[in-house]
Amino acid sequence: MCYKSRMKKIIYLFLIMISLPLYAASDSELGKIQSDIRTAESRQRALEKQSSELAKSMNKTKSELVTSAKKMKGLESEKSQLDTKLSKLTNERDRLRAKLGAHQSEMSFAVASLLHMSHTPGSIALTAHASEMDDTVHASELLRTMSEQFSNQITEYEKQLAELNSVQKQIGTEREKLGKTMVKYKSQQSDLEKLMSDRRKQNKSLLSEQQELQKKLRALAERAKSLTDLVEATPKAKTYRPPSGGGATMDSPVLGMLLRGWRDKSALGLISDGWYIRTPNNATVTAPADATVAFADHFKGYNKILILDHHNGYYSVLTGLEILDVMVGQSVLGGEPIARMGPTNPELYLELRYKNQAIDPATRYRQPRGR
């Protein structure tokens, strides 16, 4: 074998020898990487399972919240109707008491007059003089008439007393009903609060993202001059569904009485861009339809407000709220509780907007019902 051939063979063997540790090291590193990949994949599957379970749990909570809020609204309506009925009955009772008091005064005067006449001998005594006999006849006739009137007054008094007793019994019955309703109401309120607490815990995953977004929205709210500016500035939902056909498709978010409607004028001549609704005290406010919370905070003179993006070009703006129960970026189902009204003469303002223009709520909303 020539020198060159021998040198080539030595170099080749040398290269093989120095390469062996490298190949061994690569196999070891590859094994570690593959192990890390398997661990990551296992963790990813666990996270996906956890995420799936959380999503199921959140959906279950949402569904239960919708059911609970529906029951709560029903009890609020029942409570409001009983309060109204009791108020009317109490007013009727007070009216009857006043009437009976006046009647008692009249009867006392009639009794005193009768006693006076019956104890006045000259007024009813029989005498031999014709003029005195005429006076006696007149006095007797007057006494008879007054006795009849007194008898009628007694009959009327007994009738009014029976009516008062009936009203007082009705008041007792309605108070008993109200007491039972309040027990159910407090129990349902407790159940609802537990579900709300569960939802708050589940929403912790949104918290950090929500806090950052809330800072941006507060900055936008400071610069916005009107609700229109604020709605325009809020982030839009990523998904978009074209609006469905005409007709009311959303429920009123709260029970109550419509005070001012679309385009009605206020006492100062201001034209309304929405509905003003007088609600029961501490009323539960629910999402009128599926939505994403686009804004949830104070805004200028509107106190706390919510802007709901319904993902189809429509926005619901709710103001006059006492407590907000949802966060920015949170998705809510129609009927899910989102806020609460105040404890004294609360009034909700509801505005519907399409492509950032205020439109008549009646085009999409069913008119509120309640007291």
Side-chain angles (χ1 to χ4, degrees), residues 35-322:
S35 176
D36 289 344
I37 289 173
R38 284 193 296 271
T39 301
E41 286 175 343
S42 176
R43 179 168 174 74
Q44 178 65 25
R45 283 193 296 272
L47 287 172
E48 286 175 356
K49 183 179 179 182
Q50 185 180 355
S51 177
S52 176
E53 288 173 353
L54 179 60
K56 287 179 182 177
S57 177
M58 289 184 76
N59 287 335
K60 184 173 181 289
T61 300
K62 284 175 179 287
S63 179
E64 289 174 347
L65 275 167
V66 171
T67 302
S68 182
K70 188 176 181 179
K71 290 179 182 177
M72 194 70 176
K73 275 190 171 183
L75 289 168
E76 285 174 354
S77 177
E78 185 178 334
K79 176 178 172 294
S80 179
Q81 289 171 11
L82 287 169
D83 282 336
T84 301
K85 192 170 183 180
L86 265 174
S87 179
K88 288 179 179 178
L89 285 169
T90 302
N91 289 338
E92 178 64 11
R93 180 199 63 189
D94 294 343
R95 184 188 70 79
L96 287 169
R97 280 178 174 174
K99 193 174 181 181
L100 278 169
H103 211 141
Q104 280 179 327
S105 297
E106 292 175 4
M107 287 177 65
S108 297
F109 178 75
V111 170
S113 299
L114 284 170
L115 288 172
H116 175 71
M117 291 185 68
S118 65
H119 287 85
T120 305
S123 63
I124 58 174
L126 295 177
T127 66
H129 299 287
S131 60
E132 291 180 353
M133 289 180 67
D134 289 342
D135 289 343
T136 300
V137 171
H138 290 153
S140 298
E141 182 64 25
L142 179 61
L143 187 59
R144 185 184 64 78
T145 302
M146 290 186 67
S147 296
E148 288 178 357
Q149 290 178 350
F150 183 62
S151 178
N152 291 336
Q153 285 183 340
I154 289 175
T155 302
E156 182 63 22
Y157 183 81
E158 288 175 343
K159 181 181 175 183
Q160 290 174 358
L161 195 58
E163 191 177 354
L164 176 60
N165 287 334
S166 175
V167 169
Q168 286 178 327
K169 284 181 181 178
Q170 288 181 60
I171 289 174
T173 301
E174 295 304 319
R175 279 181 176 162
E176 188 178 349
K177 287 181 183 177
L178 181 59
K180 290 178 180 178
T181 299
M182 286 303 297
V183 170
K184 293 178 185 177
Y185 177 82
K186 288 178 181 178
S187 175
Q188 191 61 46
Q189 194 174 41
S190 176
D191 291 345
L192 184 61
E193 183 53 42
K194 286 176 184 176
L195 287 168
M196 300 282 276
S197 176
D198 289 343
R199 187 176 67 179
R200 282 192 288 270
K201 290 175 184 175
Q202 291 165 349
N203 282 339
K204 280 186 177 179
S205 57
L206 284 172
L207 192 58
S208 58
E209 180 184 347
Q210 185 265 351
Q211 286 174 337
E212 188 62 32
L213 184 55
Q214 194 75 17
K215 288 180 184 178
K216 294 178 182 178
L217 287 174
R218 281 183 179 166
L220 290 171
E222 288 295 323
R223 294 199 300 271
K225 296 179 180 179
S226 66
L227 281 178
T228 300
D229 291 343
L230 185 63
V231 174
E232 181 64 24
T234 55
K236 304 298 181 282
K238 294 177 181 178
T239 57
Y240 179 87
R241 293 192 302 273
S244 58
T249 58
M250 297 192 289
D251 287 322
S252 171
V254 70
L255 294 168
M257 180 176 67
L258 187 62
L259 298 177
R260 282 172 55 201
W262 168 255
R263 293 307 181 199
D264 285 350
K265 286 186 178 180
S266 68
L268 299 175
L270 300 175
I271 296 175
S272 171
D273 280 337
W275 284 348
Y276 288 86
I277 305 169
R278 173 62 51 79
T279 78
N281 296 341
N282 304 305
T284 301
V285 182
T286 57
D290 295 359
T292 298
V293 180
F295 187 88
D297 209 340
H298 288 83
F299 179 64
K300 302 190 182 301
Y302 293 95
N303 201 4
K304 292 178 182 175
I305 80 167
L306 280 174
I307 298 177
L308 303 178
D309 183 353
H310 296 294
H311 304 193
N312 56 6
Y314 286 97
Y315 290 83
S316 291
V317 182
L318 294 80
T319 76
L321 306 167
E322 180 77 9

Side-chain angles (χ1 to χ4, degrees), residues 344-367:
T344 309
N345 296 325
E347 189 175 303
L348 175 79
Y349 173 68
L350 171 64
E351 188 171 296
L352 179 65
R353 305 185 75 86
Y354 181 62
K355 294 184 177 178
N356 210 31
Q357 292 292 322
I359 62 174
D360 185 356
T363 59
R364 289 284 157 180
Y365 274 96
R366 296 180 185 91
Q367 189 163 317

